[in-house]
Amino acid sequence: MSPGISISQITTVTQSFADDLDAYRAAGADGIGIWEMKLEDDSLDRFRASGLRAATVVPEVPSILPLPLMEGPVDPEARVEAICGSISRLAPFEPPCLLFLTGPGDDRPAILEGIGAIGEEGARSGVRVALEPIQREFAHLWTVVSSLDEAAALVDESGADVGLMYDTWHLWREPLEQIERHRERIYGVHLADWREPARSTNDRVLPGEGTIEFGPILEALRWDGLFDLEIFSDAELAGSLWQEDPQELAARGVERMREVLSTASA
């Protein structure tokens, strides 16, 4: 059985939820990584009728501490409350997990308290939640953890029932031994490739079109869930994937994902 492939909705950021469903299904994807910011009144009904499965979902307010590059509440308590509301709102889509970030900063008590509250809401709503570490070059914009080891230690310190998110673009340079250590705690997998040089935090390329060697990573993961294509880009940069037609990008993305996954499993 071939690995399941999904597309995270940020990849086709300019499209509506309904258009994403149509594009991903036409591209041959098995699932959709839902971004709450795209939800409309009829999205759940459309999703259920599409035949696609939910991959990792992303809340509209994605971090405990404020993010320099995204709007949202300043107060960590208000942000955690928003994330908890997103968990219950996204639960009917039956996602494998909902991811969140710490955000950058030195308010460790707020981070630990927030992780605990998010874990509790996940348990109440029947939705697994996962902390995502962000790669070191741009960590100051997003997080206080940049590896599976660091994220796991923070979760352990909080005492919360929270898993981990693995994203190749963020963690491809981290030791593979960390995947071995924490494999059972990984609730979701994002795939994207690294452009060299990466010109900003939003400058990804499709798997197989950058510098990442996916084979060893995929072998270490032994992932049997949906592999979720997540492309952040910047339409103002030359060669940006967000300049492409979204439907064509979805089709090309699924094709590249299949190539990378088939090579790794050969």
Side-chain angles (χ1 to χ4, degrees), residues 63 65-72 79 103-105 138-143:
S63 66
L65 301 182
L67 300 173
L69 300 182
M70 293 183 68
E71 297 180 356
R79 298 181 68 85
F138 302 110
H140 63 285
L141 299 171
W142 302 102
T143 191

Side-chain angles (χ1 to χ4, degrees), residues 18-30:
D19 287 342
D20 282 344
L21 290 174
D22 291 342
Y24 301 172
R25 189 170 47 189
D30 305 291

Side-chain angles (χ1 to χ4, degrees), residues 167-182:
D167 187 314
T168 57
W169 195 81
H170 292 304
L171 300 179
W172 68 283
R173 287 176 290 200
E174 299 298 319
L176 291 178
E177 292 79 9
Q178 294 192 28
I179 297 177
E180 301 284 348
R181 270 195 293 278
H182 305 294

